[in-house]
Amino acid sequence: MGLSSAEHPLLARYAEVRSEVSAQYGPDSQAVVFILYEELLSLRTVLAQDRSNRRIAERVRDVSVEIQRRYDIGGMVDKGRHHRLISDRPVLIEYDRAVFDRMYGSLRRACAVGPVHVTGAAVAFEALQAGPTHIYVVDDSYRLLVWPEPFTLAEMVFGRTPDRRVDGTRVVHPMLVPERLRVRAAGELSIVGGPDDCMVIANMKSGHFRPPPSCADVLRDVLRGVFPLTDEDIDVFTVPQSRA
């Protein structure tokens, strides 16, 4: 994209990688989304250390816009069958109790760990790994609950593989709220930086709860209450409602 190493070596390197991946797999491929997400994580990490770098800040905004554009194009085809929207102002979504008990109840009880109730930045950076991706929910009491075991960026973009630590079944969002099975937002998030100066990259990708784009406002409010963040420190990518 015409970036030179004189501007910033990281920008030049990702421009080169994007070009190579686009030529090999196509400009609209999932592989390009993977590179864009990886770039955003790297740029946010740099920016958390040096907020005066205006070129990095500009590129963060550009990458964020491009990732959301690709989410909008991709859409969500299947509405899902096991959740229901209880309220849309504010949003409250409930997962089917019978389905949960049948498919996930015993798996959840077998887990050696549980979700972390993130009440502040210190709690987050002590319990979670900075950089890798974690699944999260905002429950019906507006608590931010995050599963402490991370997964890879590739799993985040291309889909998570079975978690062999839980009898071959991956941990899913309803397992974070087994008592009431109700959420106001759900998806995946990454934290970068440190407790005193951090940034958050998140999305609304939950195949079980299918949160609408309006849930992004709820998540942003919760994140600002938990972390020392401004709007410029947060990326939240939404998934369109089903076109089917």
Side-chain angles (χ1 to χ4, degrees):
M1 294 187 177
L3 297 172
S4 68
S5 59
E7 290 186 86
H8 196 287
L10 189 64
L11 299 179
R13 176 54 183 158
Y14 273 108
E16 179 182 354
V17 172
R18 285 195 311 276
S19 178
E20 293 173 353
V21 170
S22 180
Q24 183 172 359
Y25 298 103
D28 295 322
S29 66
Q30 282 289 90
V32 175
V33 178
F34 174 87
I35 296 301
L36 287 168
Y37 230 110
E38 185 181 74
E39 180 179 4
L40 183 60
L41 280 166
S42 297
L43 294 175
R44 283 283 188 192
T45 300
V46 171
L47 196 60
Q49 299 170 350
D50 178 15
R51 288 179 175 267
S52 66
N53 195 319
R54 300 179 65 180
R55 185 66 188 92
I56 292 292
E58 291 172 1
R59 180 58 189 161
V60 163
R61 289 191 290 272
D62 290 345
V63 173
S64 181
V65 168
E66 180 61 16
I67 291 174
Q68 185 60 61
R69 184 186 74 82
R70 289 169 181 270
Y71 272 54
D72 291 339
I73 292 173
M76 182 176 284
V77 176
D78 182 10
K79 290 184 177 180
R81 296 169 293 175
H82 305 310
H83 74 286
R84 65 188 183 100
L85 184 66
I86 296 177
S87 169
D88 60 358
R89 294 185 180 179
V91 171
L92 184 60
I93 309 164
E94 182 178 62
Y95 194 74
D96 186 87
R97 168 59 63 184
V99 174
F100 176 82
D101 288 344
R102 183 176 72 250
M103 297 182 64
Y104 306 115
S106 62
L107 294 170
R108 177 63 183 87
R109 289 189 295 271
C111 290
V113 299
V116 176
H117 178 197
V118 179
T119 56
V123 172
F125 281 90
E126 180 179 352
L128 311 176
Q129 292 186 37
T133 302
H134 299 76
I135 65 171
Y136 78 89
V137 301
V138 175
D139 72 1
D140 54 348
S141 298
Y142 294 93
R143 298 184 302 166
L144 178 61
L145 305 175
V146 185
W147 197 262
E149 297 174 321
F151 54 94
T152 67
L153 178 60
E155 289 177 304
M156 180 179 182
V157 175
F158 299 109
R160 285 183 288 129
T161 55
D163 182 349
R164 298 300 176 187
R165 292 165 294 185
V166 189
D167 298 331
T169 300
R170 62 188 173 93
V171 174
V172 295
H173 288 101
M175 294 169 70
L176 276 66
V177 283
E179 292 84 10
R180 291 176 57 78
L181 297 176
R182 293 183 174 188
V183 304
R184 299 191 184 277
E188 305 155 336
L189 64 76
S190 301
I191 56 175
V192 300
D196 297 324
D197 196 351
C198 59
M199 298 181 180
V200 176
I201 301 168
N203 63 47
M204 291 290 149
K205 291 175 63 177
S206 170
H208 291 78
F209 286 110
R210 311 282 182 168
S214 59
C215 291
D217 293 335
V218 174
L219 179 60
R220 287 179 179 275
D221 287 344
V222 170
L223 290 175
R224 285 192 297 264
V226 169
F227 296 94
L229 298 171
T230 66
D231 286 340
E232 288 73 26
D233 301 327
I234 306 170
D235 296 296
V236 179
F237 301 109
T238 61
V239 180
Q241 293 298 282
S242 172
R243 296 190 296 267

